[in-house]
């Protein structure tokens, strides 16, 4: 690299980590969010034109910003290894494509909406929060598999028996799965039940057993998360306490008692020797 | 200040902290609450007149009470530094304004209703409870911001796609936000979903992903509060235990073992010296 | 008391604490519960007569049983000091009154239903459970007062503004309280909201703030209970552990280290003296 | 047993615990689940025939698999002592019966659905999860009994008073129990309440007291589970920590201090003797 690029990169890196620059980016994201909201209201044509201009201004700003961030990165390869950088670049690139087609215009609008997610990529606390949320998911793997098996079996049984009663709710296994999710949220579940009870009077056993099983599995999932969080919190706290106060642990005390004993052994040997 | 004012102030201060006086204030607030309830029923004219008289009596009593509390305060400036005192004074002052206008009469009625909140300002336990509730809020800041971002993006997407299907539910971003809150409470959410599924058969992904995301963020918020409360409780308890029992900690024990060693060092020096 | 009564009392006391007798009582209560259930179905006249006879048989059995329990009590005054005994006696006495009047017949049926509650009075584990449930209530006193204040203020405001819109839901403060409870359970709350939003477009603030406040207070109440239960459990466990393992605590260790030092002080006095 | 059988058994045992074999079984179960789902959609006749053939293939595979597992078991009696083996065998045997009757055909379809449950029997983690779920149930025994007593009494009272108002909801004790469960899930409970309040204006006390009681008992049940899980987790963790770090406990330290003292006693006897 030429020395000029080096100087430029250092300057961009300083700019990138500047607090004021970060605040500017956050307020532009906020403005873009407000624009998205404003566009959902009927606006007079003049304001509409202003919105379009502002929208292009925001796109340009984001382009400049991401260029600065890319330039400021000393190791260019590492830049795209971060998922958030890839996401930011994609959002900006897709916003730049001029679209006329009404089908694609929709995608253009969606991309502008997803710009709000840049808030998460720019505020470190939100990024940490999201990561900790995602980190909790794999631990739930088997409970969620179990829950899916329960749902699947009930959906298959439901379709077998109730498809003829109400095709919209129990027509095939995917609508049955949706109906079961609805029952799990207690949303008008009795209407669904009374309808099938008219044909199969004992079908309440199907609904009640499903509610109990899914509620029980769901409860188990929540307790699993709570216990995990509490445990981690507990360990983190225990480590923090130990480090902060310089508090000795029982092993330290044991060590000191043993040293004391060794000292006694040396300075106060067995009696006969002393007498001698 | 003249000595007379000093004497008066001391007398007011004594009165203010009098238990009987406090009980009197609480029962007047209770009476004012009952009056508010009574006024919502159709009353015979005679009782209605009595209610109006009682109402003025309560206003006057509150005026006297707040004057006593103000007079009893030695540092007059500190009086208005407490939010509760400002609130109490405002309530009393606004109640005093005689209003004829029907628009303003409504405000007069509202102010009389908010008098019930004086219960919180007068009972210390409720004040503590409210403060502890409010103290828990800032810790939730980032989770709530994250939740708002989720809501905002879904509302924008919902308005983009569903505004033409049902203008009342998805017309602009603010009604979409309200609709999403409704979906989050599971209130007739399937009706909303079935309506859009008639046009976009895959729109169930929108609703299910929203329910999972918001439920997950909500769960995270609750767990955050529970962990915080348990942690504080744990620390408070640990401190209480340590103080109550005079229980020594590991550092104390380490200190004592070291003293023992120092003693041995002095009284039982290394062997050669002793032999010498 | 004559010796005969004493002998009788001892015999009754033995009978009362007999396991088989207890099992008999439990099965009679179960039978009485089944009878109550059976009576809700249309029965052929013959079975109906059998039910009436069985019902009188159960009443007589309960009369005999409570007499035995009363006779078996050495201190007759203490018998009625237990709330459960008073409850059992009342249930039996009221069942004995022959009633013809249709109004009173209803009370007779209710009393027969409440006999099922005798299950709680006879099974010690259920009694303990109920007591522990009741013991948790007073700790919630202030949170519940706070919640009632929130409900009362919102009900008063709701009646003031919405009484003209829907008299059935907001007519006076008591129906408003019921409507607010309904909103808190999320039962068709949007129907209530949309109705008032047609007149006051901003009234969603009323509903949302109420839902947030009540949910927050409710959450706080639950966390309060959980923390209390966990704390008690923790203390109970700590005591159990300490007793079971005979594990020494830090104070014990401190005592032993101090004894060691005192020993050293006596047997190994300061140097000069030894040399002397 | 002849040596040939022994050799065969050992070969089957190796096959049974083979990882690849397990993966094969899991994928066949998955395929059988997909088939069940596919059959709920209308299929062209050709695909339908393929599904029937695949179905028989799966049945045969399961028959071979269970035979291998049975052959691989050295102690044949122990094989049927495991509930999961009995379940697997039953599923396979019933699938083999060729059925023409439409009534029995339904059972045949159900049995094919329950094959999905074999997922739980084959994946050890799911089996462990299910066992831990079931192990939590008995601890809840008394709370559930208490809850049932509450439900039963309310159902009996509800039938007594409301049977004439709405026979579908309160006709006999079993439909009343179902209605109460519906009220507990807050599903359109106000509709039920408003209907009876038209006849008995005070009947809201019935509903509110029921909601409070059942919610309170339910809450208690959940807290019971949470406390149990946390406690077990805590004990498991404490044991793990103690074993992992080789951390000495307070008893160890006490022992070492006592040894030190004994040493001092021997090597540093009381003064007079030394002087002597």
């Amino acid at each position: 690299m030429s020395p000029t690029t080096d100087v430029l990169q250092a300057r961009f890196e300083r700019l990138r980590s500047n607090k004021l620059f970060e605040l500017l980016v956050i307020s532009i994201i906020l403005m873009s969010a407000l624009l998205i909201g404003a566009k959902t209201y009927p606006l007079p044509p003049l304001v509409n034109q202003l919105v379009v201009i502002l929208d292009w201004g925001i796109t340009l700003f984001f382009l400049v910003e991401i260029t600065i961030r890319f330039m400021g990165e000393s190791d260019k390869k590492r830049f795209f290894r971060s998922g958030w950088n890839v996401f930011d670049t994609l959002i900006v690139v897709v916003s730049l494509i001029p679209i006329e087609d009404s089908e694609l215009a929709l995608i253009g609008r969606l991309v502008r909406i997803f710009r709000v997610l840049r808030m998460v990529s720019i505020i470190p606390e939100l990024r940490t929060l999201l990561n900790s949320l995602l980190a909790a998911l794999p631990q739930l793997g088997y409970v969620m598999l179990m829950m899916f098996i329960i749902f699947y079996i009930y959906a298959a049984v439901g379709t077998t028996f109730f498809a003829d009663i109400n095709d919209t709710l129990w027509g095939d296994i995917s609508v049955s799965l949706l109906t079961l999710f609805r029952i799990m949220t207690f949303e008008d579940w009795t209407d669904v039940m009374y309808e099938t009870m008219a044909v199969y009077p004992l079908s309440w056993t199907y609904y009640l057993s499903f509610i109990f099983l899914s509620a029980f599995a769901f409860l188990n999932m929540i307790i699993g998360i709570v216990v995990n969080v509490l445990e981690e919190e507990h360990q983190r706290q225990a480590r923090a306490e130990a480090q902060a106060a310089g508090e000795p642990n029982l092993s330290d005390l044991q060590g000191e008692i043993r040293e004391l004993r060794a000292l006694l052994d040396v300075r106060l040997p067995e009696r006969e020797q002393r007498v001698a």
Side-chain angles (χ1 to χ4, degrees), chain A residues 240-249 252:
Chain A
E241 266 175 22
Q243 285 176 355
E247 175 88 339
N249 61 25
D252 295 340

Side-chain angles (χ1 to χ4, degrees), chain A residues 66-80:
Chain A
I66 212 136
T67 314
I68 290 174
R69 288 211 349 256
F70 181 71
M71 293 307 221
E73 180 75 62
S74 50
D75 183 359
K76 303 299 183 214
K77 274 178 204 154
R78 223 179 51 191
F79 186 79
F80 288 110

Side-chain angles (χ1 to χ4, degrees), chain A residues 263-274:
Chain A
L263 190 87
L264 273 175
D265 257 353
V266 169
R267 303 210 182 156
L268 206 67
E270 283 190 43
R271 212 170 172 195
E272 299 89 318
Q273 294 176 305
R274 286 188 82 187

Side-chain angles (χ1 to χ4, degrees), chain A residues 39-85:
Chain A
K39 277 192 281 187
T40 65
Y41 292 93
L43 299 171
L46 213 76
V47 180
N48 233 339
Q49 270 180 324
L50 184 74
V51 163
V52 171
I53 294 167
L54 275 175
D55 196 77
W56 276 106
I58 290 167
T59 306
L60 282 180
F61 177 85
F62 281 172
L63 182 64
V64 171
E65 185 236 336
I66 212 136
T67 314
I68 290 174
R69 288 211 349 256
F70 181 71
M71 293 307 221
E73 180 75 62
S74 50
D75 183 359
K76 303 299 183 214
K77 274 178 204 154
R78 223 179 51 191
F79 186 79
F80 288 110
R81 231 172 277 159
S82 148
W84 284 116
N85 284 337

